[in-house]
Amino acid sequence: MPIVLSESVPKGRGLTILFELEDLARTRFAPAPLPMYELVFTVHGGSWDRLLLPQIRPLAELIRPGRFIPDFFNSARPDFDEAVRQVLDVPSTRVRDQIASMLGTTSPWLRSFAAGTPTSRQDLRSALNAGFRDLLGNNWPETRQAFDAEVRLRSSQAVSRGLGDLLGKLHPSISWNSPALHVELGWDTEISLRGTGMLIVPVLHGLTRPAVSMFAEPQPLLFYPAAPPQPSGASLELALGRTRTLVLRALTSERTTTELARHVGISLPTASQHATALRTAGFVSTHRNGRSVRHRLTRRGWELLN
């Protein structure tokens, strides 16, 4: 099964993942940003300089906007060189089946790669290395820092509110209703994890909606977009102002107005004012929980940050 990205669909449609007690015990976060997925989601998102196309053309032929991502790119190795080796070691029969069903052999290079020729594998190795270097390499230390900050926030949420609450608040298109996790997809199906648990992977580049790879080994993968690294944040801050940008980034995790003010370092009335402005613009949603008012990003807010 390829890597499938979620879609905007009528409420209630999509993938239902059934958890047992053992699944909850084995569900965990990736230990570090996973470079192969960061790269393929970046290419799939399409927001990259086309001047790089000659260097990454084989990768771009395999990963096309609007198409599923072939599952032979599945590699949860945090070391990029190891991830590349794992991708290139995928059996030719599996590569050939996925290309035939998803892409078609529409170019001489795809036909060569589907046939498993050594030169085509080397072409892909070169494209992967060039893609990582040119699209992600310069910003990788900031990516690691942003990933670590995201996992710390989510870990705190799990400790204070429970794993179910954490799973249900990873993204607006993901919801938790024990014992099931629901992800909005363009097709309806129900899958039981049967004791494997899931690997939860925050993605910092290219991804604007959750994605799943249900038959990855040794356990299924759930990807969700996290706030990307912002070395300068100049463009977003010019549009929104520095404080409002900080408020927007803070709401990648759901917070009360008091928690928001404390996190950003502003007064309670100022936090309320910025949250109201972002809600009016459609970037933030607000709901009341008992005596507190809680804020979180909407899909539009996630897309703005990503």
Side-chain angles (χ1 to χ4, degrees):
M1 178 181 175
I3 302 169
V4 182
L5 279 73
S6 77
E7 305 172 24
S8 180
V9 297
K11 191 173 181 60
R13 287 197 61 191
L15 172 65
T16 299
I17 306 168
L18 299 177
F19 281 70
E20 300 173 2
L21 182 60
E22 193 171 0
D23 295 309
L24 290 171
R26 292 184 175 179
T27 293
R28 59 193 178 92
F29 275 85
L34 303 183
M36 185 59 67
Y37 294 116
E38 295 284 348
L39 177 58
V40 297
F41 286 129
T42 296
V43 175
H44 188 267
S47 297
W48 45 275
D49 190 341
R50 288 305 184 270
L51 292 175
L52 296 176
L53 184 58
Q55 286 76 44
I56 68 167
R57 186 179 298 277
L59 184 57
E61 288 201 37
L62 290 167
I63 302 173
R64 305 177 190 173
R67 302 284 189 95
F68 292 147
I69 299 172
D71 70 3
F72 51 75
F73 284 105
N74 273 328
S75 177
R77 305 285 179 87
D79 180 84
F80 185 66
D81 291 337
E82 291 181 6
V84 170
R85 284 194 291 271
Q86 186 174 11
V87 169
L88 295 178
D89 284 344
V90 171
S92 296
T93 53
R94 183 172 156 200
V95 171
R96 184 169 57 249
D97 291 345
Q98 289 242 326
I99 290 178
S101 63
M102 295 170 53
L103 301 173
T105 50
T106 55
S107 76
W109 184 84
L110 273 177
R111 288 194 290 273
S112 176
F113 187 65
T117 63
T119 55
S120 66
R121 294 284 174 121
Q122 184 57 45
D123 289 341
L124 181 57
R125 180 191 300 275
S126 298
L128 288 168
N129 287 326
F132 182 78
R133 180 191 67 235
D134 295 337
L135 295 173
L136 301 175
N138 290 337
N139 204 28
W140 196 246
E142 288 82 4
T143 296
R144 291 190 62 94
Q145 291 172 8
F147 181 95
D148 291 343
E150 171 70 15
V151 172
R152 284 196 300 271
L153 280 171
R154 298 300 184 177
S155 299
S156 175
Q157 183 179 348
V159 169
S160 62
R161 302 178 195 169
L163 185 57
D165 187 85
L166 164 68
L167 292 171
K169 290 184 170 64
L170 292 173
H171 188 270
S173 64
I174 300 174
S175 57
W176 170 260
N177 185 13
S178 184
L181 189 71
H182 185 81
V183 184
E184 294 175 5
L185 292 175
W187 40 266
D188 291 307
T189 191
E190 184 175 282
I191 294 176
S192 176
L193 293 177
R194 302 185 183 280
T196 64
M198 294 194 81
L199 184 68
I200 303 173
V201 185
V203 177
L204 284 300
H205 300 277
L207 195 65
T208 59
R209 297 183 59 83
V212 294
S213 184
M214 288 306 302
F215 299 112
E217 296 292 342
Q219 61 187 156
L221 304 169
L222 172 64
F223 308 93
Y224 72 94
Q230 301 286 341
S232 64
S235 58
L236 193 57
E237 288 185 13
L238 283 173
L240 298 180
R242 183 174 184 277
T243 301
R244 192 158 294 175
T245 300
L246 291 173
V247 168
L248 190 72
R249 291 176 185 156
L251 292 179
T252 54
S253 296
E254 185 177 273
R255 301 181 192 276
T256 66
T257 308
T258 301
E259 290 169 342
L260 178 62
R262 186 181 304 118
H263 182 85
V264 179
I266 55 180
S267 69
L268 191 60
T270 301
S272 178
Q273 178 185 8
H274 284 299
T276 299
L278 291 168
R279 182 176 68 249
T280 301
F283 299 130
V284 166
S285 66
T286 299
H287 69 275
R288 184 171 292 277
N289 184 6
R291 299 180 63 182
S292 65
V293 175
R294 307 191 69 84
H295 313 281
R296 65 187 298 185
L297 290 187
T298 61
R299 292 189 186 94
R300 286 189 64 194
W302 281 103
E303 290 165 0
L304 182 65
L305 280 179
N306 283 276

